[in-house]
Amino acid sequence: MRFFSDNAAPVCPQVMAAIADANTLDTAYDGDAWSAKLDGAMSDLFGRDVACLWVATGTAANSLALAALCPPYGAIVCHRDAHIQNDECGAPEFFTHGAKLLLAEGDGAKLSAAAIAALLDATRDDVHQTQPHAISITNATEYGRVYSPADVAAIGKVAKARGLKLHMDGARFANAVAHLGCAPADLTWRAGVDALSFGFVKNGGMSAEALVFFDPEMAKATRYRRKRAGHLLSKGRYLAAQILAMLEGDLWLANARAANAAAAMLAEAAGDRLVHSVEANEIFLRVSPQEAASLRVEGFDFYDWGPGEARLVTAWNHAPEDVRPLADAIRAL
Amino acid sequence: MRFFSDNAAPVCPQVMAAIADANTLDTAYDGDAWSAKLDGAMSDLFGRDVACLWVATGTAANSLALAALCPPYGAIVCHRDAHIQNDECGAPEFFTHGAKLLLAEGDGAKLSAAAIAALLDATRDDVHQTQPHAISITNATEYGRVYSPADVAAIGKVAKARGLKLHMDGARFANAVAHLGCAPADLTWRAGVDALSFGFVKNGGMSAEALVFFDPEMAKATRYRRKRAGHLLSKGRYLAAQILAMLEGDLWLANARAANAAAAMLAEAAGDRLVHSVEANEIFLRVSPQEAASLRVEGFDFYDWGPGEARLVTAWNHAPEDVRPLADAIRAL
Amino acid sequence: MRFFSDNAAPVCPQVMAAIADANTLDTAYDGDAWSAKLDGAMSDLFGRDVACLWVATGTAANSLALAALCPPYGAIVCHRDAHIQNDECGAPEFFTHGAKLLLAEGDGAKLSAAAIAALLDATRDDVHQTQPHAISITNATEYGRVYSPADVAAIGKVAKARGLKLHMDGARFANAVAHLGCAPADLTWRAGVDALSFGFVKNGGMSAEALVFFDPEMAKATRYRRKRAGHLLSKGRYLAAQILAMLEGDLWLANARAANAAAAMLAEAAGDRLVHSVEANEIFLRVSPQEAASLRVEGFDFYDWGPGEARLVTAWNHAPEDVRPLADAIRAL
Amino acid sequence: MRFFSDNAAPVCPQVMAAIADANTLDTAYDGDAWSAKLDGAMSDLFGRDVACLWVATGTAANSLALAALCPPYGAIVCHRDAHIQNDECGAPEFFTHGAKLLLAEGDGAKLSAAAIAALLDATRDDVHQTQPHAISITNATEYGRVYSPADVAAIGKVAKARGLKLHMDGARFANAVAHLGCAPADLTWRAGVDALSFGFVKNGGMSAEALVFFDPEMAKATRYRRKRAGHLLSKGRYLAAQILAMLEGDLWLANARAANAAAAMLAEAAGDRLVHSVEANEIFLRVSPQEAASLRVEGFDFYDWGPGEARLVTAWNHAPEDVRPLADAIRAL
C-alpha cells in the first residue's frame, strides 16, 4: 500500500463519469457550458459573488493568484516551509516577474499573525527594500496543520492594516474544512482572504484546480495571465466538469473526510511518534531507519522526511480496511 | 453541425479508453509508467533519440520550446500571422522573458527561406538591436497550408548558416504529415528542426501535447521551466497515456487523414471561393454576408474571417456523411 | 567635422559647471538638495504639479515609463521605426516584463491618430490577443519630424477614448519645442500625454534624462522600479544638477535652437535631396555613394542610411561657421 | 561631519579632472577612445585577459553579473544580510528574470565554505526545487569584514566542485584589497571568482563601476543585457574616464587606504563597543540612544543600526584631522 502522496491516488469515479459526460462537442477554451457554470457554483458554495478560473495545477493556481496580488517589484510573506517557496521551482517568481518571498517561521509550517507582523516591522519602507504586498498561507499546511477561521482572521487583520492582500494555498483546503467543520466562507473571505487556490487533484480529481477570487474584479487581469501562461486549455470543459462534479453533493468534503479519517487512524496508532499533530491527511512520525525498513518490508511505502522521520499521506480512496494494517504495523513497532 | 474549431470536437474513443486505463495508483508528476515510455515511443516514431515532454496546451509547448531556443535578449523570426504572435496573449514573451518576435511575410501564413533571409539581413549586428536566435514556423500553417520537407530544409539551411535554432509549431503537424505522406523525420530533424510542438488536442486528444526536442540535451533545462510554469501536472500519467494512445497504431495519422478528407470535400465544393489552397483541415472561403447567413440558417456554424470571408475547420470525427450536406450547401450558394 | 550623432557632442559648459558645483558632500541616492528641487522645477516648466525622476539614459526613461503605463500582458502601439522598437535591444520588453509592441505606419516615423485607431480596431478584444494599454510616440521623431500640439491632441483623444495611456519619447523634445515655439504643456499633458521622457543628453547634457509623470501618483511605483533596475545612482546629485542647469534660463531651448538652426542651414543647402522635411536637428538626404565619399574626403562624417541615403545630425555646439562648409559642400555636389 | 555613507562623499579631484578631459567629441555609447582602453587596463591590473564593462551603479553591476551566471530558473546562494538580498529592491530577481536567492548565515555577513556547502546539501536535486547555479559573496562585506584569498578560494572550491559560478560584489573591493595588501588576482580569479563588481563610486568616483568577467567570453551576452537594461550610457566616455583615472597610479588603492585608516582610528577609539572587527571602512558600534544623541549634538552624523547600535562609514576624503574629533568623542562616551 502506498502512502507516498495523495497525487498518486487514482481519480474518483464521479470525476471520471463527469469527464465522460463532457465528451461532446462544445465551444473551445472556457466558452463551454461547464465553464459557464463555475462562477455560480462557487458563489453558491462561498455565499457571495466570486470569480472562479480552472487551471490544471496547484502551482498555476498559486502563482496566478500571487501575480494578481503582488507587483513584480513587491514581496510576499510566506512560511519558510511553504510549497510556493520550496516545491514549485520558482513558479511564484516566474509568474510575478520576480517578486521576492519573505520567509517567516512557525511550528508545523503554520504562521501566526504575530510572526508575520514582526517580519513586516523589520522591513524598511524605502525603495531599497522590496515592499511586502501580499501574504500567502497554506491551509492545511505542508505539515498537515490547520488554520482555524480565527487564525486566518488574525492574519487577515494584519494584512488589512498594512494594505496587503491575502492568499490561501488550499491544495488541501478540503481537508482543512473537513477537519474544522466550518463554512468555507468563514475560512476565507470572511477572514480576509482575497484569493484561494482550491485544490481538487489531491482529493480525487484528475487535472483541475480552482482559482477563486472573492472580488471578481481581481480576476479580470488573471484571465489574460492564464492564457499567457499557456494555462487556458483548449478543451476546458473537461476541467470544469471535474470541479462541478466535486462540488456536486459536497463530494469534495466526503473525499476529504475519508482521507482525514484514514490519517486519524494512523495518528492514533502513532501516538508519541507524531512530529506534528494530525489535523488533515498528512502524518509525520519519528521512525528509526530500521523501523522504516521493517514497515517497507511489510509492504507500506512512504517518504523518508529527513533523518529519523517519515511522511505518510492518506487519500480519498483509503478505506479503513486499507489503512488498519499500517496502523497495526506502526503500533507494533 | 459546427465547423468552428477542431478544439470543439470531442475526444476520440481510444484516448478516452487510455485515460480510463491509466486510472490507477502510480507515482506523481512524470514519475509514472506511462510518462516513462514517452521518450521511447517518440524516438521510434522519429527514428532517432529524442526527448519528449508532455504539456497540457500547444501554447505551453510552443513557449517552452522558444524559451529553450532563444535567450531573453534575443529575437525569434515568425510569420506576421503566426499563432505565437496573434493568439497566445504574449505567451512567447512571457516564457522567454521578453524576447522579441520579428515578423516576416508570406502567402497563407507560410514563410519562405528567402523572406526569412531578407529579414535577417536587415538586422544590424550590434547591441542596439535584438539579435535573432531562432525561427518558428507553423506546419500546417494558420491558413491550412503545408510546408514540404524541402520547404523546411531550405529554412533549416538558413537557420544553420546563421547559427539560429528552428522551431516548428505542429498544432496540426498530423494534418501536415497526413497531407504529405512523408516520414515525420523528413519534415523535422532531417530538415533542421530543433524542437517540435506536436499537437494532439486538435486531433482527438483531451489535454496532452508533446514537446519534442531532437537533441535530448536541449530538454534538460525545459524540465525545470515546465515545473516553474506550473505545467508539470501532478497526475501526469493521464497526459502520457493520451499521447501513447495516439501513437499506438498511428491513430494520430488516421485521425488527421479523416479531418483532411473532410476538408478536401469542402474544398472541392468551394472551388473558386477558396482564399488559400486546402492542404490540411482548414478552409478559408469567400462568402458574402448573405451567403454566410444562409449557411447558418441551414445549421452550419463557422467563424467569419474578416469581411467577406469565412473559416471552416474539420475534425477527426467529421465523417463524409456529416460533411456532405455542407459541401452541397456551399456548392449551391 | 562629425555629424554622426548628437550623442557624440561634448557636454555644454553650463552643465559641466553645475556638476562641479554639486561636488560636495550630500545625502546619497536622491535624498540630496538638487534632486529635491526637480519636481518643483519641472512643475514650473509645465505649469502643473508633476513628478520628475532623473535617470541616466533615454532607454531607461522610456522603458520605465512604459512599465508604468502597460502591464506585462498588454501591448503598446508605436511606429515601426520607433527607437523603442529598433534601437533599445528589447528594453521595453525587459522593463514591462514582456509587453508586446504593436507596430503602426506613417511617413517620417510619425503616427497619425487615424493610423493608430485602425491598428486598435484590428485587435480582437479577447484573452488570446495582447490588449493595447498604451501608445508611445517620439517627438521629434526618429526622422526629425515634429508632432504639433494638435497632432498629439488627436492621438491623445484616441488614447483617452480607448482607455489607453500615452507616452512621449522626448529624446529630442527640446528640438521639437524649439521648432514649434509652443508651451511645453501644450505639447504634452494638455494634449493627453501621461509620461514624457525628456532628453538632455543629446542636447548638451552628460548623463541625465528626466522622466516626467504628469500625474505624480503614477510615479510612485516607478521609484521602486528605478531602484530595481539599477538606475538609482548612488550619487544622484550629479544628475539632478545637470537637469537643473539645463532648465535654468531655458538653456535647453537655447541649445536646441542652435542645433535646429544648424540643421536648417544644411536642409536649405540640400534642397531636393531631402528625404524628410527637416523640423528638428536631423537631416536625411539622398546622396550617391560617390557623393558621400566626396563629402567624407572633405572631412565631413555621417552615417550611411541604407542605399543612397545619409543621415546627418547637428548638435548644440554646431555654430553657423562650423556648419557652413558642409552646407556649401552639399550644395556643390 | 557626516559618517553616513561613502556615497555621500564628494568625487575626488583626479576623477573630476578626468571627466573634464573627456569633454570632447567622440563616438557615442562605448565606441570611444576611453572605453576602448578599459579591457586592457583591467587586464593589466588582474594579470590576465579580462573583459570589463562600465555601468553606472553597483546594483547594475551585481545584477548583470548574476544574470550572466544564473538562469531564470536557478538559484544564487548569498548571505542573509547581503546587499543583493536586502538593499537592491529585487534587482537580482529583475535582471535574472526571477532566480531565487538562497540565504546562508555567517558572522559579519561573511559566509564560510562550510555554511555554503551545508545549504547546497539541503537542496534536493529535482525539478521541484530551484537548483543553485551561482554563489555571490561581498568583499568587503556589508559589515566591513574582509574575505582573504584563502577564504575566497575555499568557497571557489565548493563552487567548482558543484558546477556553480562565483560572483564577488566588490562595492568595497578596494577597501578589501587595501586591508589585505594582496594582489587583486589572488582575491578573485585565482580563487575561483568568475565575475567581479568592482566599485569606484564609494571610493571617490562619480558614476562609474566596473563589471569584470575573468573569462571574456562570459561578457558577450552581458553587452546585450546592459543595453537592454538601459545601462549603455550614450556618452560612455565619461564613465570609462572615471575608471581609468581610478586605476592610474593605483588611486583606487590610495583612496581606500585613506578610508580604511580613518576607520581604524575610530575602531581603536571604540574598543569594546565594536560589534564587528573593523577591516575596511565601516564601523558598527554599540551606543545607547543617549550616547548617540550626544555624538550628534557634537556634530557627528551616522545611521542608527537597530536598537543600541550605530553604523559609521569613512570615505576617501576623511583625513586624520577630520576623524580625530569623532574618535575622541567616542572614547569620551
Side-chain angles (χ1 to χ4, degrees):
Chain A
M1 196 72 194
R2 289 184 169 184
F3 292 87
F4 274 125
S5 166
D6 31 16
N7 286 324
V11 173
C12 71
Q14 301 92 325
V15 167
M16 290 301 283
I19 288 172
D21 286 349
N23 194 26
T24 177
L25 180 143
D26 202 331
T27 305
Y29 303 108
D30 61 351
D32 62 277
W34 289 263
S35 298
K37 286 180 194 157
L38 271 193
D39 283 358
M42 280 290 176
S43 296
D44 288 347
L45 182 67
F46 283 100
R48 65 169 288 165
D49 271 0
V50 307
C52 173
L53 290 82
W54 45 252
V55 287
T57 64
T59 295
N62 287 340
S63 298
L64 285 168
L66 296 175
L69 305 183
C70 181
Y73 52 85
I76 298 150
V77 177
C78 69
H79 194 280
R80 174 176 310 285
D81 295 328
H83 197 268
I84 59 171
Q85 164 69 3
N86 293 317
D87 298 290
E88 301 188 346
C89 198
E93 288 88 346
F94 179 49
F95 281 76
T96 62
H97 301 290
K100 193 184 274 288
L101 302 188
L102 297 178
L103 307 180
E105 316 264 357
D107 281 349
K110 208 176 148 185
L111 291 176
S112 66
I116 292 170
L119 184 70
L120 294 172
D121 288 342
T123 301
R124 294 192 316 269
D125 180 15
D126 66 34
V127 299
H128 300 269
Q129 297 211 321
T130 49
Q131 299 297 307
H133 285 251
I135 299 167
S136 178
I137 58 176
T138 309
N139 201 14
T141 77
E142 288 75 7
Y143 288 116
R145 300 291 310 281
V146 169
Y147 289 89
S148 71
D151 292 337
V152 179
I155 293 171
K157 201 173 157 188
V158 170
K160 194 167 183 187
R162 315 260 180 154
L164 311 186
K165 301 292 182 187
L166 181 54
H167 167 249
M168 183 177 284
D169 174 353
R172 296 188 180 92
F173 181 72
N175 304 89
V177 173
H179 172 76
L180 294 163
C182 69
D186 290 340
L187 200 55
T188 54
W189 64 271
R190 283 198 193 117
V193 172
D194 294 288
L196 170 70
S197 305
F198 189 166
F200 294 102
V201 175
K202 292 179 194 297
N203 195 28
M206 180 188 286
S207 59
E209 311 275 272
L211 172 51
V212 180
F213 288 101
F214 295 103
D215 173 0
E217 200 62 28
M218 291 178 92
K220 287 193 175 170
T222 303
R223 296 188 190 282
Y224 294 94
R225 291 188 195 269
R226 177 174 63 170
K227 172 64 194 176
R228 174 173 166 80
H231 279 288
L232 184 67
L233 273 73
S234 41
K235 295 181 175 174
R237 53 196 181 276
Y238 298 95
L239 272 69
Q242 295 178 49
I243 297 173
L244 294 172
M246 276 289 193
L247 297 183
E248 179 75 26
D250 282 340
L251 175 61
W252 65 287
L253 268 179
N255 279 359
R257 282 184 194 121
N260 285 8
M265 184 185 291
L266 296 176
E268 202 201 342
D272 289 352
R273 292 178 178 273
L274 292 180
V275 183
H276 304 289
S277 61
V278 172
E279 297 165 357
N281 67 326
E282 292 187 294
I283 305 100
F284 294 83
L285 71 172
R286 276 176 285 269
V287 285
S288 69
Q290 294 75 14
E291 292 168 334
S294 95
L295 288 173
R296 288 192 172 109
V297 165
E298 296 181 63
F300 305 109
D301 277 343
F302 46 85
Y303 275 111
D304 291 323
W305 205 261
E309 294 190 15
R311 186 189 80 163
L312 294 84
V313 189
T314 57
W316 66 275
N317 66 332
H318 283 154
E321 57 273 22
D322 296 330
V323 179
R324 193 160 303 121
L326 175 55
D328 293 343
I330 291 171
R331 208 175 273 114
L333 284 175
Chain B
M1 196 71 193
R2 288 184 169 184
F3 293 86
F4 274 125
S5 165
D6 31 17
N7 286 324
V11 174
C12 72
Q14 300 93 324
V15 167
M16 290 302 282
I19 288 173
D21 286 349
N23 195 25
T24 178
L25 180 144
D26 202 330
T27 305
Y29 304 108
D30 61 352
D32 62 277
W34 289 264
S35 298
K37 286 182 194 157
L38 271 193
D39 283 357
M42 280 290 176
S43 297
D44 288 348
L45 181 67
F46 283 100
R48 63 169 290 163
D49 271 0
V50 307
C52 173
L53 290 82
W54 45 252
V55 288
T57 63
T59 295
N62 287 340
S63 298
L64 285 168
L66 296 175
L69 305 184
C70 182
Y73 52 86
I76 298 152
V77 176
C78 69
H79 194 280
R80 174 176 310 285
D81 293 328
H83 198 266
I84 59 171
Q85 164 69 4
N86 292 319
D87 298 291
E88 301 189 345
C89 198
E93 288 88 346
F94 179 48
F95 281 76
T96 62
H97 301 289
K100 192 184 276 287
L101 302 188
L102 297 179
L103 306 181
E105 316 265 357
D107 281 350
K110 207 175 149 185
L111 291 176
S112 66
I116 293 170
L119 183 70
L120 295 172
D121 288 342
T123 302
R124 292 194 317 270
D125 180 15
D126 66 31
V127 301
H128 300 270
Q129 297 211 322
T130 49
Q131 299 298 308
H133 285 252
I135 300 166
S136 179
I137 57 176
T138 309
N139 201 12
T141 76
E142 289 74 8
Y143 287 116
R145 299 291 310 282
V146 169
Y147 289 89
S148 70
D151 291 338
V152 179
I155 292 171
K157 201 173 157 188
V158 170
K160 194 166 182 188
R162 315 254 181 160
L164 311 186
K165 300 291 182 188
L166 180 55
H167 167 249
M168 183 177 282
D169 175 352
R172 295 187 180 95
F173 181 73
N175 304 90
V177 174
H179 172 75
L180 294 163
C182 68
D186 289 340
L187 201 54
T188 54
W189 64 270
R190 283 199 193 117
V193 172
D194 294 289
L196 169 71
S197 305
F198 189 168
F200 294 102
V201 175
K202 292 181 193 296
N203 195 27
M206 181 189 285
S207 59
E209 311 274 275
L211 171 51
V212 180
F213 288 101
F214 295 104
D215 172 0
E217 200 62 26
M218 290 178 93
K220 286 192 174 170
T222 303
R223 296 189 189 281
Y224 293 94
R225 290 188 197 269
R226 177 174 63 169
K227 173 64 195 177
R228 174 174 167 80
H231 279 288
L232 184 67
L233 273 72
S234 42
K235 295 180 177 175
R237 55 195 179 278
Y238 299 96
L239 272 70
Q242 295 178 49
I243 297 173
L244 293 173
M246 275 290 193
L247 297 184
E248 179 75 27
D250 282 340
L251 174 61
W252 65 286
L253 268 179
N255 279 0
R257 282 185 195 122
N260 285 7
M265 184 184 288
L266 297 177
E268 204 202 340
D272 288 352
R273 292 179 178 274
L274 291 181
V275 182
H276 304 288
S277 61
V278 173
E279 297 165 356
N281 67 326
E282 292 188 293
I283 303 100
F284 294 82
L285 70 172
R286 277 176 283 269
V287 285
S288 69
Q290 293 76 11
E291 292 168 334
S294 95
L295 289 174
R296 288 193 171 107
V297 164
E298 296 181 63
F300 306 108
D301 276 343
F302 47 84
Y303 273 112
D304 291 324
W305 205 261
E309 294 189 15
R311 186 190 80 163
L312 294 83
V313 189
T314 57
W316 66 275
N317 65 333
H318 282 152
E321 59 271 23
D322 296 332
V323 179
R324 193 160 302 121
L326 175 55
D328 292 343
I330 290 172
R331 208 175 272 114
L333 283 176
Chain C
M1 196 72 193
R2 290 182 167 185
F3 292 86
F4 275 124
S5 166
D6 31 16
N7 286 324
V11 174
C12 71
Q14 301 91 326
V15 168
M16 289 301 284
I19 288 173
D21 285 350
N23 194 25
T24 176
L25 181 143
D26 201 330
T27 306
Y29 304 109
D30 61 351
D32 62 277
W34 289 264
S35 299
K37 287 181 194 159
L38 272 193
D39 282 357
M42 281 290 177
S43 297
D44 288 349
L45 181 67
F46 284 100
R48 65 169 288 165
D49 270 0
V50 306
C52 173
L53 290 81
W54 45 251
V55 287
T57 64
T59 295
N62 286 340
S63 298
L64 285 168
L66 295 175
L69 304 184
C70 181
Y73 51 86
I76 299 150
V77 177
C78 70
H79 194 280
R80 176 175 310 286
D81 294 328
H83 197 267
I84 59 171
Q85 164 69 3
N86 293 317
D87 298 291
E88 300 188 347
C89 197
E93 288 89 345
F94 180 50
F95 281 75
T96 62
H97 300 290
K100 193 184 274 288
L101 302 188
L102 297 178
L103 307 181
E105 316 265 358
D107 281 350
K110 207 175 151 185
L111 291 175
S112 66
I116 294 171
L119 183 70
L120 295 171
D121 287 342
T123 301
R124 293 192 317 270
D125 180 14
D126 66 32
V127 301
H128 300 269
Q129 297 210 321
T130 47
Q131 300 298 308
H133 285 251
I135 299 166
S136 179
I137 57 177
T138 308
N139 202 12
T141 77
E142 288 75 7
Y143 288 117
R145 299 291 309 281
V146 168
Y147 289 89
S148 70
D151 292 336
V152 179
I155 293 171
K157 201 175 159 188
V158 170
K160 194 166 184 188
R162 316 257 180 156
L164 311 186
K165 300 293 183 186
L166 181 55
H167 167 248
M168 182 177 284
D169 174 353
R172 295 188 180 93
F173 181 72
N175 304 90
V177 174
H179 172 76
L180 294 162
C182 69
D186 290 339
L187 199 56
T188 55
W189 65 271
R190 282 199 193 116
V193 173
D194 295 289
L196 169 71
S197 304
F198 190 166
F200 294 103
V201 174
K202 292 180 193 296
N203 196 27
M206 180 190 287
S207 60
E209 311 276 274
L211 171 51
V212 179
F213 288 102
F214 295 105
D215 172 0
E217 201 61 27
M218 292 179 91
K220 285 192 175 170
T222 302
R223 296 188 189 283
Y224 293 94
R225 291 188 196 270
R226 177 173 63 170
K227 173 63 195 178
R228 175 174 166 80
H231 278 288
L232 184 66
L233 273 73
S234 42
K235 295 180 176 175
R237 55 197 180 276
Y238 298 96
L239 272 70
Q242 294 177 51
I243 297 173
L244 294 173
M246 276 290 194
L247 298 184
E248 179 75 27
D250 283 339
L251 174 61
W252 65 286
L253 269 179
N255 280 359
R257 282 185 194 121
N260 285 8
M265 184 185 289
L266 297 176
E268 203 202 341
D272 288 350
R273 293 179 175 272
L274 291 181
V275 182
H276 304 289
S277 62
V278 173
E279 297 166 356
N281 65 325
E282 293 187 292
I283 304 100
F284 294 83
L285 70 172
R286 278 176 283 269
V287 284
S288 69
Q290 293 75 12
E291 291 168 334
S294 93
L295 289 174
R296 287 193 172 107
V297 165
E298 298 180 63
F300 305 109
D301 277 341
F302 47 84
Y303 273 112
D304 290 324
W305 204 262
E309 294 190 15
R311 186 189 81 164
L312 294 85
V313 188
T314 57
W316 67 275
N317 65 333
H318 282 153
E321 59 272 23
D322 296 330
V323 180
R324 194 161 300 121
L326 174 56
D328 292 343
I330 290 172
R331 207 175 274 112
L333 283 177
Chain D
M1 194 73 192
R2 288 182 169 189
F3 292 86
F4 274 124
S5 166
D6 30 17
N7 286 324
V11 173
C12 72
Q14 299 92 326
V15 168
M16 290 300 283
I19 288 172
D21 286 349
N23 194 26
T24 177
L25 180 144
D26 201 330
T27 306
Y29 303 109
D30 61 352
D32 62 278
W34 289 264
S35 298
K37 286 182 195 158
L38 271 194
D39 283 357
M42 279 290 176
S43 296
D44 288 347
L45 182 67
F46 283 100
R48 66 169 287 165
D49 270 1
V50 307
C52 173
L53 290 83
W54 45 252
V55 287
T57 64
T59 294
N62 287 340
S63 298
L64 285 168
L66 295 175
L69 304 185
C70 182
Y73 53 85
I76 298 151
V77 177
C78 70
H79 194 280
R80 175 175 310 284
D81 294 329
H83 197 267
I84 60 171
Q85 164 68 5
N86 293 318
D87 299 289
E88 301 188 346
C89 198
E93 288 88 346
F94 179 49
F95 281 75
T96 63
H97 301 290
K100 192 183 274 288
L101 301 189
L102 297 179
L103 307 181
E105 316 265 357
D107 281 351
K110 207 176 150 185
L111 291 176
S112 67
I116 293 170
L119 183 71
L120 295 172
D121 288 341
T123 302
R124 293 192 317 270
D125 181 14
D126 67 31
V127 301
H128 301 269
Q129 297 211 320
T130 48
Q131 300 298 308
H133 285 251
I135 300 167
S136 179
I137 57 176
T138 309
N139 202 12
T141 77
E142 288 75 6
Y143 288 117
R145 299 290 310 281
V146 169
Y147 289 88
S148 70
D151 292 336
V152 179
I155 293 170
K157 202 174 156 188
V158 170
K160 194 167 184 187
R162 317 258 180 156
L164 310 185
K165 300 292 183 187
L166 180 55
H167 166 248
M168 182 177 283
D169 175 353
R172 294 188 181 94
F173 181 73
N175 304 90
V177 173
H179 172 75
L180 294 163
C182 68
D186 289 339
L187 200 56
T188 56
W189 64 271
R190 283 200 192 116
V193 172
D194 294 290
L196 169 71
S197 305
F198 190 167
F200 293 103
V201 175
K202 292 181 193 298
N203 196 27
M206 180 189 286
S207 60
E209 311 275 273
L211 171 51
V212 180
F213 288 101
F214 295 103
D215 173 359
E217 201 62 25
M218 292 178 90
K220 286 191 175 170
T222 303
R223 295 188 190 282
Y224 294 94
R225 291 188 196 271
R226 177 174 63 171
K227 173 64 194 179
R228 176 173 166 81
H231 279 288
L232 183 67
L233 274 73
S234 42
K235 296 180 176 174
R237 55 196 180 276
Y238 298 96
L239 271 70
Q242 294 178 50
I243 298 174
L244 294 173
M246 275 290 192
L247 297 183
E248 178 76 25
D250 283 338
L251 174 62
W252 65 286
L253 269 179
N255 279 0
R257 281 185 194 121
N260 284 8
M265 184 185 288
L266 295 177
E268 203 202 343
D272 289 351
R273 292 178 177 274
L274 291 180
V275 182
H276 303 289
S277 61
V278 173
E279 297 165 358
N281 66 325
E282 292 188 293
I283 303 101
F284 294 83
L285 71 172
R286 277 176 282 270
V287 285
S288 68
Q290 295 73 14
E291 291 168 334
S294 95
L295 289 174
R296 287 192 173 109
V297 165
E298 297 181 62
F300 306 109
D301 276 343
F302 46 86
Y303 273 112
D304 290 324
W305 204 261
E309 293 189 14
R311 185 189 82 163
L312 295 83
V313 189
T314 56
W316 67 275
N317 65 332
H318 282 153
E321 59 272 22
D322 296 329
V323 180
R324 194 161 300 121
L326 174 55
D328 292 343
I330 291 171
R331 207 175 272 114
L333 284 176

